[in-house]
Amino acid sequence: MYNDVGKIDIDSIYELSAATIVDVLDPNIKAFIRVKDPEGQIVSTVDGVLLDETAPYNVSHKIKLTKFGIYQVYYEAVDTNDNKTTYSFVINVVDKEVPVVKILNPVTSAKVGDIVNISSISISDNYSEKYDIYVCMIAPNGQTYSLTLVEEET
């Protein structure tokens, strides 16, 4: 089970807190911090420390969140009897920027029965490269009509 720290912006610097891990019956515990990015790759700190099973848990670490999606953070401790505990949470990096849609050479008026060609649509987004496109028309009476988008081969 994960705790969720909330939604964070892309390219933010996030500080992972230092942990204090103790076992009153076993002073020889092994502990570490591990962080995986949304693609499952181990993350490095802004200082170049790889946050894998060798990373120290008792100091804070700053990471730059360069990918959209869920980062998984694990603090883990194991005693000499192989008793293990893990504290984990996720950092959710979300796309808060809306796509930009531009109709180039828009047709602003037509007569009944005219065929209206939308010559070109430009779409850009900071995250997605695939889009679902819906085209509709609002008639003078206020009624909205869904239109079929047909792509012409060039």
Side-chain angles (χ1 to χ4, degrees):
M1 180 165 192
Y2 292 105
N3 296 305
D4 187 345
V5 297
K7 297 175 180 176
I8 309 291
D9 288 331
I10 190 76
D11 292 328
S12 295
I13 302 294
Y14 186 87
E15 185 166 357
L16 300 162
S17 299
T20 301
I21 301 173
V22 294
D23 184 334
V24 294
L25 301 176
D26 186 351
N28 299 315
I29 59 172
K30 295 178 185 174
F32 61 85
I33 181 174
R34 179 176 61 236
V35 181
K36 292 184 178 182
D37 71 15
E39 297 170 357
Q41 302 299 313
I42 298 295
V43 173
S44 292
T45 66
V46 294
D47 299 324
V49 175
L50 192 62
L51 296 177
D52 61 3
E53 286 79 8
T54 63
Y57 63 90
N58 54 350
V59 296
S60 63
H61 297 284
K62 290 182 181 180
I63 59 174
K64 187 170 184 178
L65 305 171
T66 59
K67 297 176 183 174
F68 290 108
I70 303 289
Y71 284 74
Q72 299 173 352
V73 180
Y74 306 89
Y75 290 87
E76 192 167 298
V78 181
D79 68 14
T80 53
N81 291 318
D82 287 330
N83 296 314
K84 178 169 74 170
T85 189
T86 302
Y87 174 79
S88 60
F89 63 92
V90 297
I91 304 167
N92 189 6
V93 180
V94 296
D95 179 14
K96 295 182 180 178
E97 188 175 312
V98 298
V100 176
V101 178
K102 294 180 184 176
I103 299 175
L104 308 175
N105 303 318
V107 176
T108 58
S109 64
K111 293 184 228 157
V112 173
D114 283 355
I115 295 175
V116 177
N117 291 316
I118 299 173
S119 58
S120 184
I121 298 174
S122 168
I123 303 172
S124 62
D125 189 48
N126 65 324
Y127 176 59
S128 300
E129 293 181 14
K130 185 177 180 181
Y131 313 101
D132 292 326
I133 301 171
Y134 302 94
V135 180
C136 62
M137 176 186 76
I138 301 174
N141 65 3
Q143 183 73 32
T144 301
Y145 297 94
S146 294
L147 305 176
T148 303
L149 185 65
V150 178
E151 291 186 40
E152 293 182 5
E153 292 185 28
T154 56

